[in-house]
Amino acid sequence: MAIGVAFLVSLFCTPIAIRVFTRLKAGQPIRAEGPQMHQGKKGTPTMGGVVFILATVIAYVAGHLALTTLPDAQIAQVEPTITALVLLGLMVFCGAVGFIDDFLKVRKRHSGGLSARGKLLGQILVGAVFGVVALWFPSTMTDATGAVTNTETVGSTTLSFIRDIPALDVTKIGAVIIFIFVVMAATNGVNLTDGLDGLATGASVMVLGAYAVIAFWQYRHWCADPAYTANPDNYCYTVRDPLEIALIAGAAAGACVGFLWWNTSPARIFMGDTGALGLGGLIAGMAMSTRTILLLLIIGGLFVIITMSVVIQIISFKTTGKRVFRMSPLQHHFELAGWSEVNIVVRFWIIAGIGVAIALGLFYSDFLANMG
């Protein structure tokens, strides 16, 4: 239900957003120092991320309404949770930071919007607020007898790969600091990837789809489910609200697919920093809530590769005065090498898919290894 509603809302509301932003002259300014072939995109409406962020929130509500219609035996996590507050809050408020940046770009008619320091402070503030909420508010889920069956928080005080690593306990304060870093890395990673029509949108669909699978698998093998843990040989996941995580991940993926219909080459609208930072914030929240923070490096492998291309370019130029790539981020290097935009996007999508496939393989192999 959530995926379908998000897809339809995004698919049919994006053309409305195109008309509205065109009428408001909210066109995307293009950097003069960027690839010359991008100058033809100047004036394309931006801030399209507003649509799929709104579609995700609407779909979340629809998903919960659908849960209330299920038989009592099947109802689980019907009421909204702190997990949803954290995940949707990260998406909305990181998106708000991006919206301010997009608004300033449009108003100034210049590609320089919010200052780097201002954007960084916004990301730190959002990460800190929701990191605290994620670490200080445990679940109070009870069974039919009233006994508390789940006291997990959204986040964990230990580092995690496929699950928590108990030996790497960093305390609550340390966990919040690490989460702030993850939010900054994920938001900037998606933002740097958002340089070609549909590239970041398609890659995000794969990453969010992977988290929907991971979270639903955790729900089906959940330590808070007495029907599953009745068998002591069953391996379970100590997370909070996994069905809620799967619902939101699926809704966001569906919303991105609907947006991709209009965002694919030649794009009629861009997601802007509104969408890129919103998606990055949500993906960071997914890694924290599913206890797969280090696995994010593989799931979001494309984002990591593109971010590292920028880091390498900056370090090389500042230390040697030479550039490793014709231009960074990496997708622009291949543009200047003569690759067509569509070829770059599809091949980069393949790389994103490979990262997702490897991550899901590692996740499932860990499950098999731990089953009794």
Side-chain angles (χ1 to χ4, degrees):
M1 176 66 75
I3 294 171
V5 169
F7 170 74
L8 292 174
V9 170
S10 189
L11 181 67
F12 291 110
C13 287
T14 300
I16 298 173
I18 293 171
R19 290 194 292 271
V20 170
F21 290 140
T22 300
R23 192 172 303 149
L24 294 174
K25 298 181 179 180
Q28 174 71 49
I30 303 296
R31 293 185 306 157
E33 63 272 20
Q36 288 304 305
M37 61 281 289
H38 285 201
Q39 295 304 315
K41 300 181 180 184
K42 187 175 182 179
T44 302
T46 187
M47 296 188 282
V50 168
V51 179
F52 58 72
I53 291 174
L54 180 62
T56 301
V57 175
I58 292 173
Y60 170 76
V61 175
H64 269 273
L65 291 175
L67 280 174
T68 62
T69 66
L70 296 176
D72 289 345
Q74 291 179 282
I75 290 179
Q77 301 179 283
V78 174
E79 299 298 325
T81 64
I82 291 292
T83 301
L85 173 66
V86 170
L87 295 178
L88 294 177
L90 284 165
M91 189 180 199
V92 170
F93 284 95
C94 284
V97 174
F99 182 85
I100 296 171
D101 185 43
D102 287 332
F103 177 79
L104 292 176
K105 289 177 183 176
V106 170
R107 186 175 181 181
K108 296 176 181 178
R109 297 289 188 264
H110 189 271
S111 59
L114 188 64
S115 68
R117 179 177 296 180
K119 192 181 296 186
L120 188 64
L121 288 174
Q123 293 166 342
I124 291 173
L125 179 61
V126 174
V129 169
F130 288 103
V132 168
V133 174
L135 269 299
W136 266 269
F137 290 87
S139 172
T140 56
M141 180 178 290
T142 58
D143 59 19
T145 66
V148 176
T149 59
N150 187 12
T151 58
E152 293 293 323
T153 52
V154 179
S156 172
T157 60
T158 65
L159 282 177
S160 56
F161 178 49
I162 295 174
R163 58 184 185 277
D164 282 337
I165 306 171
L168 299 180
D169 194 314
V170 295
T171 75
K172 287 185 177 181
I173 299 297
V176 171
I177 293 172
I178 289 173
F179 180 61
I180 291 172
F181 174 78
V182 174
V183 169
M184 292 166 57
T187 51
N188 287 300
V190 178
N191 199 20
L192 290 171
T193 304
D194 183 33
L196 299 180
D197 296 350
L199 177 56
T201 310
S204 296
V205 169
M206 298 182 206
V207 171
L208 291 166
Y211 276 118
V213 171
I214 287 172
F216 191 73
W217 189 262
Q218 290 175 333
Y219 171 65
R220 297 294 294 169
H221 308 85
W222 192 21
C223 293
D225 181 1
Y228 180 75
T229 53
N231 182 348
D233 291 331
N234 283 342
Y235 174 70
C236 64
Y237 295 93
T238 53
V239 295
R240 173 174 177 169
D241 309 321
L243 183 62
E244 193 88 323
I245 302 167
L247 190 159
I248 295 171
C256 285
V257 172
F259 181 76
L260 184 60
W261 183 274
W262 307 100
N263 181 234
T264 193
S265 183
R268 292 185 56 188
I269 188 170
F270 299 140
M271 69 166 68
D273 279 21
T274 305
L277 269 61
L279 287 173
L282 177 60
I283 289 170
M286 289 288 162
M288 173 181 64
S289 57
T290 57
R291 314 292 173 85
T292 56
I293 285 179
L294 296 178
L295 190 64
L296 176 58
L297 294 171
I298 302 174
I299 294 180
L302 178 65
F303 302 141
V304 174
I305 291 169
I306 289 178
T307 301
M308 289 308 300
S309 74
V310 176
V311 173
I312 291 169
Q313 186 86 323
I314 292 173
I315 293 175
S316 176
F317 187 74
K318 288 190 174 182
T319 56
T320 68
K322 297 180 180 180
R323 293 180 173 86
V324 176
F325 307 104
R326 289 181 171 92
M327 182 178 290
S328 66
L330 188 60
Q331 60 268 32
H332 298 323
H333 167 83
F334 289 105
E335 278 190 291
L336 297 182
W339 291 22
S340 71
E341 182 171 9
V342 172
N343 276 344
I344 297 169
V345 169
V346 172
R347 287 168 180 169
F348 276 37
W349 280 353
I350 292 172
I351 294 172
I354 291 171
V356 164
I358 292 172
L360 289 177
L362 290 172
F363 182 82
Y364 185 60
S365 64
D366 174 81
F367 174 78
L368 292 179
N370 283 280
M371 280 294 289

